Amino acid sequence: MKKKVLTTTIATGLMAAGVLTTQNPASAKADTVPTGDNATSTNEVATQESDAKTIAQNNVNTAQTNLDKSKADTQNASDSLQQAKVNETTAQKAVDEQTGKVSDAQNNVDKAQADVTTAQNGLTTAQENAKNATETNIQAAKDNVATQEQNVATAQEQAKQANDGVAEQTNKVDDAQKAVNDAQKNTSAAQADVTTAQKTVDDAKVAMDPANVQATVDAANKAEAQVNQDKQNVATAQNNLDNAKAADATRQTNIDNAQKAVNTAQANVDFSTKQAQEMKDQFNKYQGIKDAAQKEVDGLNDKLSNVNTITISDVEAYKKAFNDWYTGSKYGENWTEEDKNFLNDFMNSNTYKGNAADKNITVDINHLTADQIKELSLFSADLLNQVRNQLGLPKVIVTEGSLKLAKDVTDNYVSDNWDKFDHDVDGISRAAAENGLLSGGNFYEDAIFSSDFSEASTMDDLKSILYTGIVTMIGGSGDEMLHAAGLLGVDFGDDISTGKEQYFSAGTSMFPIKEDQMWITKMGHFFNVSKDYIRDSAKFSTTEVPGTSTEDLVTQLNTAKAKLASATDALNKAKDADTQAQQILAKNKVELTTAQDNLTKAQNVPVQTEIAQKALTDVQNKLAADTKINEDAQAKKEAALGDEAAKQKVLDQANANLATAQKALIDAQTKQKAAENNLSAEKAKLASLQQVANEKTQDVKAAQVALDDAKNKLATLENAPLLVKAAEDKLVTAQKALDLVENVLVSEKAKLSALKQDLADAQADVTTAQKNYDEKLAIQTKAQTDLDNAKKVLQAIYDREALEAQIAAQEKAREEAEKKAAEEKAQAEKNGYHVDGNKVVDENGNQVSNWTVKNGQIIDNKGKVVSGLTINKAGAVVNKTGQQISSKNVVDNLQANKRTQAPVVQSKVAGKTYVSTVVAPEKAKTNALPQTGEKESKTTLVGAVLVGLGSLVGLFGLGRKKEY
């Protein structure tokens, strides 16, 4: 019953977890498990349990699989998201980089546009100058150059004079400064004299004291000796001054000469620098003219290198072959092997040059546009005229009428569905009549057939067919020269030296040949219209179609080469002039450096006069001062050695000298002030002169600018045609450069637009990938939750199985314990004393009176524990050695106990033996009969045994509670 209830609970838990489906057989059976304890119910429960476990495991496996797949999907979504973000970053970087390129391209366009504007202005200026480049204006420009050169020379001379005045006034300022310095020194000397005189007065006063006589005499002797030494020093200083003045005069001469050399060298450098720059500018100008001429020559050479040509190596040999073919009774019977070999070499040596640009132009060969027919006609006419020119024959001319004829004939080939290796004579005649020409036969067309090309055609394919047609027809292809005669304008049988000017054009068509087999054939048409074949001039326009022929290119090239030669010659002359100017400038710079070094050396020679003069002045002043000191000292000496009147006289003289020194100080101060005022005046004059010199220097610069401008104007007038051409070329170059960078800008903008779209797509991909990742992550989260729930359900089943196993083990242990306890109990009952409830009975079931069981112990009638006896788990009463007590050994066991026990009495009543203990008061002497119990108390004893086993039964009871 318990297992059935448990299974139902587990199944309910499975459904609650949301794992089991409505088709789960376990849950269905759980609700219908019968409650009866029969074998059928147990088998059904076991089946249900097995099904639930299998389903739970399957659910776990399925949930794990779903989770694994979800994780893989999430990882893939994460990878896709990361890649989308990388793509977005890459796209953003590309947009940023391309934005920079667009900005650069825009800057290039702006710069190129500015260059075009500058070039346009330059061309306008050059054209205006060309208009003014008359002989009168050129001569006037030359006269102006001469005038400006004189103005420069005049300004330089005036600037030199002004600078000389500055130099002279600078010397005056220096002299005035020296005067101020000298005055300051004199003032200082006068102040010293006053101090000395004051001291003399003080000393004279002291000298009037008789105690100072000897000191006064010694001072006088010392002062006299000092004066004598000063006189010798003055003589030496005077000699030194004379020598210094001579040396300084030489120094100044050297400085003046060096300064003049520097001025001259600087003027030469300034002039040669301007000349060198002019020559450099002129060289650059002619370099530009030469480069433009070279570019024109190179461009024409490039064009000619790509031009297809037809060359006759031996004109006379060709004429012979042509004439030999016409002689004789049959065309070609007089053709020699020499003729054939020559013509064969002619055809093999002239081959078509492919054109890369034409290979990129696809054409509809049966429906050529008017421009395409014009291009092919001019191309073919140029080839044919090359041959005619070599043979001395008149040229063919492409006209509006010949172009129309070509278109009409080729259109007729198409409309007639022409499919034969032959001329569509009817179509040619119809076209001739429609264009006012002689009709009725093929008087106009030569043609070549080719099946060597695919059906798809380019302009290069058509030109190749036409080139091959002219070469093979001129070379006698098919052993006949009729085609050559038609193309060269020579009537049949006429000498090749005669020929007609013809109107010429070319065309093409394509059609399938239907003879032996079907294949695509391309046809090149050549149309020669003689003037005498025109029947209605109103229908055939002879207006020439303009075009550039090889001969025109050669003429242009020759003209360009002549211009290049002229420009090269002018450039070489300008280069020589530039080289000479640079050499002169370098030489003048070396001379200027040398002159500056010499000036520096001259200026670095020390000035000696001032130092020598100061030394002389110093010793003179010292002599003067010492002389006064000596005079005073001598006067003091005389006074000291004289009477009081003499001393008084010395004092008076000292006071007089002091007054004189004070007056001299005032005079020196006055002279110093005057010198300072003069210095200020001289400095003011110097500033004024310096301003004039600066103005003159600016005049020189202005005059030089005017001279440069005059020379430039003269050069502009003299080279006006070349400058116009150079300006035109510069404008063309600038415009091409502008076109190029504008195309680049358009391209870069288009790339930026595409990259921005790529970025938008990448951003959209990131949004989509993020959404997909979020969805996959949510699915993964749910799958993880489902797996966790499934595992919980499966674990619950495993836990329930473990619990059932534990309960089964407990049940088995309980049953075995009960069985063993029953066996032990039965054995105990058989062998001796044992417990029955709270009573003790013997092996015969007789109750032992006065013994009871309380708390698992044997208690006597005094309430004391019976010593030496215990109750084992089987309920048997045993002694200390574990031996069960019986009626036979109970006395021995009790007597063996040291504690006094109540006596045991055995008695027999009605054939039954009763055993009891007698518990008497301590002083009692009589024995009380033991109380006897009933044999039926055995049931109670068994109950007691069961109570003794209560702990074990309790354990099993707890186990059963865990079974729900």
Side-chain angles (χ1 to χ4, degrees):
M1 178 62 187
K2 293 178 181 177
K3 290 184 179 180
K4 288 181 286 186
V5 174
L6 176 61
T7 302
T8 303
T9 304
I10 294 298
T12 304
L14 290 174
M15 290 192 297
V19 177
L20 297 180
T21 66
T22 56
Q23 298 175 348
N24 189 334
S27 69
K29 293 178 180 179
D31 291 333
T32 57
V33 173
T35 57
D37 289 330
N38 53 61
T40 300
S41 297
T42 302
N43 291 335
E44 288 180 355
V45 170
T47 300
Q48 293 170 8
E49 291 175 351
S50 176
D51 290 344
K53 180 178 179 182
T54 299
I55 292 172
Q57 184 62 60
N58 290 338
N59 288 338
V60 169
N61 295 340
T62 300
Q64 184 65 58
T65 300
N66 293 340
L67 177 59
D68 293 341
K69 181 179 181 303
S70 178
K71 285 183 177 180
D73 292 342
T74 302
Q75 185 60 50
N76 291 336
S78 176
D79 294 342
S80 298
L81 176 59
Q82 295 306 314
Q83 184 60 51
K85 289 182 177 180
V86 170
N87 294 341
E88 179 186 22
T89 301
T90 302
Q92 183 65 60
K93 182 179 179 182
V95 167
D96 295 341
E97 292 177 351
Q98 189 61 29
T99 300
K101 291 181 180 179
V102 169
S103 178
D104 293 341
Q106 184 63 59
N107 292 336
N108 292 337
V109 168
D110 295 341
K111 182 179 181 300
Q113 183 61 62
D115 291 342
V116 168
T117 302
T118 301
Q120 183 62 60
N121 294 336
L123 176 59
T124 302
T125 301
Q127 290 171 338
E128 289 296 325
N129 291 334
K131 292 179 182 178
N132 296 328
T134 63
E135 291 295 331
T136 300
N137 290 339
I138 291 175
Q139 186 58 48
K142 291 180 178 179
D143 294 341
N144 186 38
V145 168
T147 299
Q148 296 304 327
E149 287 176 342
Q150 182 59 44
N151 290 341
V152 169
T154 301
Q156 289 176 338
E157 180 60 29
Q158 291 177 351
K160 181 178 181 303
Q161 293 175 359
N163 286 325
D164 291 344
V166 169
E168 182 180 354
Q169 185 60 31
T170 299
N171 292 334
K172 290 182 179 181
V173 169
D174 292 341
D175 293 340
Q177 183 64 59
K178 182 176 180 301
V180 169
N181 295 340
D182 292 341
Q184 290 175 340
K185 293 176 183 177
N186 292 335
T187 299
S188 298
Q191 182 63 58
D193 290 343
V194 169
T195 301
T196 301
Q198 182 63 56
K199 186 175 183 303
T200 301
V201 171
D202 295 339
D203 291 342
K205 290 179 180 180
V206 172
M208 295 184 71
D209 186 350
N212 297 324
V213 172
Q214 186 58 48
T216 300
V217 171
D218 294 339
N221 294 335
K222 182 178 179 182
E224 185 176 6
Q226 183 61 52
V227 168
N228 292 333
Q229 181 62 48
D230 290 345
K231 289 179 179 180
Q232 293 179 5
N233 292 342
V234 168
T236 300
Q238 183 62 56
N239 184 60
N240 291 340
L241 177 59
D242 294 339
N243 294 335
K245 286 181 177 181
D248 285 350
T250 301
R251 172 183 177 276
Q252 188 59 49
T253 299
N254 293 338
I255 290 176
D256 292 341
N257 293 335
Q259 184 64 58
K260 290 178 181 179
V262 168
N263 293 341
T264 301
Q266 184 64 59
N268 291 337
V269 168
D270 293 342
F271 179 76
S272 58
T273 298
K274 294 181 177 65
Q275 289 292 319
Q277 186 59 50
E278 290 174 3
M279 295 303 101
K280 177 63 70 178
D281 293 342
Q282 182 170 282
F283 172 73
N284 291 336
K285 178 180 68 177
Y286 284 114
Q287 182 67 59
I289 295 173
K290 188 260 184 184
D291 290 343
Q294 184 65 58
K295 183 177 180 181
E296 183 178 4
V297 169
D298 293 341
L300 290 170
N301 279 326
D302 289 341
K303 289 182 180 179
L304 284 170
S305 67
N306 292 320
V307 168
N308 285 277
T309 58
I310 300 177
T311 304
I312 300 176
S313 62
D314 188 337
V315 172
E316 294 304 321
Y318 180 81
K319 289 182 177 180
K320 177 182 178 299
F322 185 90
N323 291 327
D324 286 349
W325 190 83
Y326 280 105
T327 60
S329 60
K330 295 181 179 179
Y331 288 135
E333 68 178 356
N334 290 336
W335 235 354
T336 66
E337 289 300 318
E338 182 182 5
D339 293 335
K340 295 178 181 179
N341 291 335
F342 173 78
L343 293 175
N344 186 58
D345 290 340
F346 166 77
M347 288 187 289
N348 290 332
S349 61
N350 289 284
T351 57
Y352 175 73
K353 297 178 182 178
N355 186 293
D358 288 340
K359 289 179 180 178
N360 293 324
I361 301 175
T362 58
V363 296
D364 182 352
I365 191 171
N366 285 337
H367 302 89
L368 297 180
T369 66
D371 287 340
Q372 289 170 343
I373 293 176
K374 174 182 174 182
E375 181 178 350
L376 294 174
S377 296
L378 291 172
F379 169 77
S380 301
D382 179 53
L383 295 173
L384 187 55
N385 281 333
Q386 292 178 36
V387 176
R388 286 191 171 216
N389 184 55
Q390 294 173 71
L391 296 174
L393 299 175
K395 297 180 180 179
V396 297
I397 302 172
V398 178
T399 67
E400 298 290 348
S402 66
L403 292 180
K404 184 175 184 301
L405 175 64
K407 185 177 189 308
D408 291 346
V409 171
T410 54
D411 287 348
N412 287 343
Y413 268 85
V414 175
S415 63
D416 292 346
N417 294 316
W418 197 252
D419 58 0
K420 301 179 179 63
F421 270 127
D422 198 357
H423 299 285
D424 182 6
V425 177
D426 182 63
I428 296 171
S429 296
R430 294 200 314 271
E434 291 172 359
N435 286 276
L437 301 176
L438 174 65
S439 61
N442 178 21
F443 307 118
Y444 310 99
E445 182 194 55
D446 290 286
I448 182 173
F449 300 85
S450 173
S451 57
D452 296 335
F453 301 95
S454 64
E455 185 172 353
S457 298
T458 66
M459 185 61 74
D460 186 65
D461 294 335
L462 303 189
K463 288 183 178 179
S464 176
I465 295 174
L466 296 176
Y467 179 91
T468 304
I470 292 177
V471 170
T472 55
M473 290 177 183
I474 295 297
S477 173
D479 294 334
E480 57 101 348
M481 299 295 284
L482 293 176
H483 287 292
L487 290 175
L488 298 176
V490 180
D491 288 337
F492 296 154
D494 288 349
D495 187 271
I496 193 172
S497 298
T498 64
K500 301 176 183 178
E501 181 184 86
Q502 295 173 314
Y503 304 124
F504 178 81
S505 58
T508 61
S509 61
M510 178 175 66
F511 49 88
I513 294 299
K514 301 178 181 177
E515 294 184 354
D516 296 336
Q517 57 183 340
M518 176 79 70
W519 72 87
I520 298 299
T521 297
K522 296 181 180 179
M523 183 176 183
H525 307 270
F526 305 96
F527 305 96
N528 283 287
V529 179
S530 298
K531 293 181 180 179
D532 54 355
Y533 281 7
I534 300 175
R535 296 291 181 263
D536 187 351
S537 59
K539 294 182 178 181
F540 187 85
S541 173
T542 58
T543 301
E544 184 174 357
V545 175
T548 302
S549 65
T550 302
E551 185 178 359
D552 294 334
L553 291 176
V554 172
T555 301
Q556 293 176 14
L557 177 61
N558 292 333
T559 302
K561 285 182 177 179
K563 290 167 58 179
L564 176 60
S566 176
T568 301
D569 181 63
L571 176 62
N572 291 335
K573 292 178 181 179
K575 182 177 181 182
D576 292 339
D578 177 52
T579 301
Q580 292 177 4
Q582 296 297 332
Q583 291 173 347
I584 293 172
L585 175 60
K587 175 177 172 295
N588 289 340
K589 285 183 176 180
V590 171
E591 292 178 353
L592 174 60
T593 300
T594 301
Q596 290 172 334
D597 290 342
N598 292 336
L599 175 60
T600 300
K601 291 177 181 178
Q603 291 172 336
N604 288 339
V605 174
V607 176
Q608 301 180 36
T609 299
E610 183 177 355
I611 297 174
Q613 181 64 59
K614 182 178 182 302
L616 176 59
T617 300
D618 289 344
V619 296
Q620 285 176 338
N621 291 337
K622 190 171 188 306
L623 174 59
D626 289 344
T627 298
K628 291 181 180 180
I629 292 172
N630 183 46
E631 291 174 353
D632 292 341
Q634 296 303 323
K636 291 178 181 177
K637 175 181 176 182
E638 291 177 1
L641 296 175
D643 53 17
E644 292 298 323
K647 293 179 180 179
Q648 184 60 51
K649 182 179 179 181
V650 170
L651 176 59
D652 294 340
Q653 183 61 47
N655 285 325
N657 292 341
L658 175 59
T660 300
Q662 290 173 337
K663 182 177 181 302
L665 174 60
I666 293 172
D667 291 341
Q669 290 172 339
T670 301
K671 291 179 180 179
Q672 178 181 342
K673 182 62 176 176
E676 290 173 346
N677 292 337
N678 182 58
L679 175 60
S680 298
E682 295 297 341
K683 285 184 176 180
K685 290 180 181 180
L686 176 59
S688 177
L689 292 174
Q690 186 65 58
Q691 182 177 358
V692 173
N694 292 339
E695 292 173 354
K696 296 301 182 182
T697 300
Q698 292 300 320
D699 291 343
V700 172
K701 294 181 179 179
Q704 187 62 54
V705 170
L707 175 59
D708 296 341
D709 184 58
K711 289 181 177 179
N712 289 334
K713 289 181 179 178
L714 175 59
T716 300
L717 292 175
E718 289 178 334
N719 301 290
L722 291 176
L723 293 176
V724 169
K725 176 57 177 172
E728 289 174 343
D729 293 342
K730 185 175 182 180
L731 177 59
V732 171
T733 301
Q735 186 61 54
K736 288 182 179 179
L738 176 59
D739 294 341
L740 179 62
V741 296
E742 282 181 338
N743 291 336
V744 171
L745 177 59
V746 171
S747 175
E748 297 297 345
K749 284 184 175 180
K751 291 178 182 178
L752 177 59
S753 178
L755 290 174
K756 284 184 176 179
Q757 183 58 51
D758 291 343
L759 176 59
D761 294 342
Q763 291 171 337
D765 290 343
V766 169
T767 301
T768 301
Q770 184 66 56
K771 181 180 179 181
N772 183 50
Y773 173 73
D774 294 341
E775 291 174 352
K776 291 296 187 291
L777 184 61
I779 293 173
Q780 177 183 336
T781 301
K782 182 179 183 301
Q784 183 65 59
T785 301
D786 291 346
L787 176 61
D788 293 342
N789 290 336
K791 285 183 176 181
K792 289 179 181 179
V793 171
L794 180 61
Q795 187 60 45
I797 293 174
Y798 280 118
D799 291 346
R800 187 255 321 199
E801 289 179 344
L803 181 59
E804 287 180 340
Q806 179 183 1
I807 293 173
Q810 290 177 349
E811 285 291 333
K812 183 177 181 181
R814 181 180 64 79
E815 291 173 354
E816 291 177 350
E818 288 178 348
K819 179 179 179 182
K820 184 177 180 181
E823 292 175 350
E824 290 178 349
K825 176 176 177 293
Q827 188 65 34
E829 290 176 352
K830 178 180 179 182
N831 292 337
Y833 284 14
H834 55 274
V835 175
D836 182 5
N838 61 348
K839 301 176 182 179
V840 178
V841 295
D842 61 13
E843 61 272 16
N844 296 317
N846 298 316
Q847 180 177 355
V848 177
S849 60
N850 297 324
W851 277 7
T852 59
V853 177
K854 184 177 182 181
N855 296 329
Q857 293 178 317
I858 300 174
I859 306 302
D860 60 18
N861 55 3
K862 292 183 178 181
K864 295 181 179 182
V865 176
V866 178
S867 179
L869 299 179
T870 58
I871 303 171
N872 65 15
K873 61 182 180 179
V877 179
V878 296
N879 59 18
K880 292 180 178 180
T881 62
Q883 181 182 5
Q884 186 174 6
I885 301 301
S886 64
S887 300
K888 296 179 179 180
N889 59 19
V890 64
V891 176
D892 295 334
N893 278 284
L894 290 176
Q895 290 177 348
N897 191 2
K898 294 180 180 180
R899 182 177 182 270
T900 302
Q901 298 292 339
V904 177
V905 178
Q906 291 185 349
S907 60
K908 287 185 179 182
V909 178
K912 296 181 178 180
T913 300
Y914 294 89
V915 179
S916 65
T917 57
V918 179
V919 180
E922 193 171 326
K923 294 180 178 181
K925 301 295 185 179
T926 60
N927 293 329
L929 291 175
Q931 297 178 1
T932 60
E934 295 295 330
K935 188 174 183 180
E936 288 74 11
S937 63
K938 179 178 180 180
T939 301
T940 303
L941 178 60
V942 173
V945 172
L946 291 177
V947 172
L949 296 175
S951 59
L952 179 60
V953 176
L955 174 61
F956 290 129
L958 289 175
R960 285 193 296 271
K961 290 181 180 178
K962 290 182 181 179
E963 295 176 6
Y964 303 98

